[in-house]
Amino acid sequence: MNPRKSFSNLEVIYQNLPPVPCISCGLCCVSPHVTLLEFVYLLDGLLNSWPAEKLIALVAMPATLEKRYPGNLKCPCQEEKGLCGIYQHRPLMCRLEGLPVLDRMGIRKKQICPYITEEEMKVEVLPEDIDRWVAETFGLSTKYYNIYAEPYWLSALNLECWLAVALDPKILQGPVLNIRKMVQNSFDLDFLAVNYEDTTQFSEKLDAIDLFFEQAEKQRNPREAIGTILHILNDFPATGSYYLEEGKRYLSLMHKVLQDNL
């Protein structure tokens, strides 16, 4: 299946979003967490608007932590003076940034956008609106793989991790490998694959997830499994929030197993 066939559905969601009075300061521009379809849409935009040398630089660029916002990377698509290099193909969360309702929902802290107020918004946006747009966007990717399936939970990744999925030959896990094949069948990415340099350690994180599930299934040494899940949670900063919530649940479960074994 070719996810490019769903671009029109994604664009309908984007077109129905309220306009945000953004001043293009770049203050909120961290590496966006996106669904598979949004990544493919963004990649299509890059391939059609960026020159080859700029694309090669992108896939070889080191992942850089954004000091202002712990747990996030600097957006590799941000250009001079805070301008967005993928503006027409920016993902949902970039399009929602600045909406004051996000503060009330606890999705982001106010200091990410100190400029936009409720009075400036021409359309009232409610929490249920955000939930609907997010659900619709996530739902489009479920046509192509099970985004909530154990053990990997690939519902959304930051841009750097999606590039790893698409280009990193070290990734061998079945579902993730199938996604890479699907993306590579949609585009000619050979010139990027030969220049790709992984700085996310995403493949190593996937290997650690496999190891944890092997240890958890055997339940011979809960402490060993706890050590592995702590490694997954703490030692891969360039993968953003990937596996944070799932890892915390598994950690709690393994602590319970350990307590029951005492």
Side-chain angles (χ1 to χ4, degrees):
M1 298 178 67
N2 189 337
R4 298 172 74 180
K5 294 181 179 180
S6 294
F7 282 178
S8 59
N9 303 97
L10 184 62
E11 288 170 344
V12 168
I13 296 174
Y14 290 164
Q15 290 164 4
N16 288 330
L17 299 177
V20 178
C22 175
I23 63 173
S24 301
C25 69
L27 188 61
C28 71
C29 288
V30 295
S31 182
H33 279 67
V34 301
T35 61
L36 168 66
L37 181 58
E38 289 185 291
F39 168 67
V40 175
Y41 185 73
L42 191 157
L43 183 59
D44 184 71
L46 288 171
L47 290 169
N48 284 301
S49 62
W50 282 25
E53 60 271 16
K54 191 174 179 180
L55 290 167
I56 291 171
L58 173 70
V59 302
M61 182 184 301
T64 305
L65 293 174
E66 174 53 83
K67 296 179 180 179
R68 295 176 298 178
Y69 310 122
N72 290 281
L73 301 180
K74 291 183 178 180
C75 181
C77 299
Q78 188 178 10
E79 299 186 334
E80 294 181 5
K81 299 181 181 180
L83 296 178
C84 176
I86 53 168
Y87 193 77
Q88 296 301 322
H89 288 77
R90 68 197 188 283
L92 177 70
M93 293 314 298
C94 295
R95 294 169 188 264
L96 297 179
E97 187 54 61
L99 293 176
V101 68
L102 299 184
D103 294 319
R104 302 198 298 272
M105 299 176 70
I107 293 178
R108 61 127 170 101
K109 296 180 180 179
K110 186 66 177 179
Q111 65 262 27
I112 292 184
C113 185
Y115 303 115
I116 299 175
T117 67
E118 296 278 7
E119 290 73 24
E120 292 177 291
M121 294 300 302
K122 296 180 179 180
V123 179
E124 182 182 11
V125 178
L126 303 175
E128 48 264 40
D129 296 321
I130 301 294
D131 292 339
R132 184 179 72 256
W133 294 325
V134 170
E136 289 174 349
T137 304
F138 275 62
L140 292 177
S141 289
T142 60
K143 290 177 57 177
Y144 303 100
Y145 73 109
N146 186 352
I147 65 176
Y148 296 116
E150 288 185 334
Y152 306 113
W153 300 90
L154 295 167
S155 54
L157 299 172
N158 64 18
L159 178 57
E160 289 79 2
C161 287
W162 277 123
L163 288 172
V165 170
L167 301 171
D168 189 350
K170 300 191 301 297
I171 292 178
L172 301 174
Q173 286 78 4
V176 190
L177 183 60
N178 290 338
I179 293 173
R180 184 168 80 225
K181 291 178 179 177
M182 181 168 53
V183 174
Q184 291 188 349
N185 286 338
S186 301
F187 303 102
D188 180 8
L189 299 179
D190 290 346
F191 76 106
L192 294 180
V194 297
N195 289 284
Y196 176 74
E197 295 184 20
D198 175 48
T199 60
T200 65
Q201 294 186 296
F202 187 63
S203 63
E204 287 86 345
K205 188 168 188 174
L206 294 176
D207 290 340
I209 292 171
D210 285 339
L211 176 60
F212 166 72
F213 269 80
E214 180 182 334
Q215 294 168 338
E217 183 178 357
K218 294 178 180 178
Q219 294 191 6
R220 295 174 182 170
N221 188 344
R223 294 186 188 276
E224 186 178 50
I226 288 172
T228 300
I229 200 67
L230 287 173
H231 171 54
I232 292 168
L233 288 171
N234 298 325
D235 296 339
F236 301 94
T239 60
S241 61
Y242 172 61
Y243 223 74
L244 182 61
E245 295 303 319
E246 294 82 8
K248 288 179 178 178
R249 291 202 296 269
Y250 292 135
L251 182 62
S252 177
L253 176 63
M254 295 315 301
H255 275 297
K256 184 178 185 303
V257 172
L258 179 62
Q259 186 65 32
D260 292 344
N261 289 348
L262 294 179

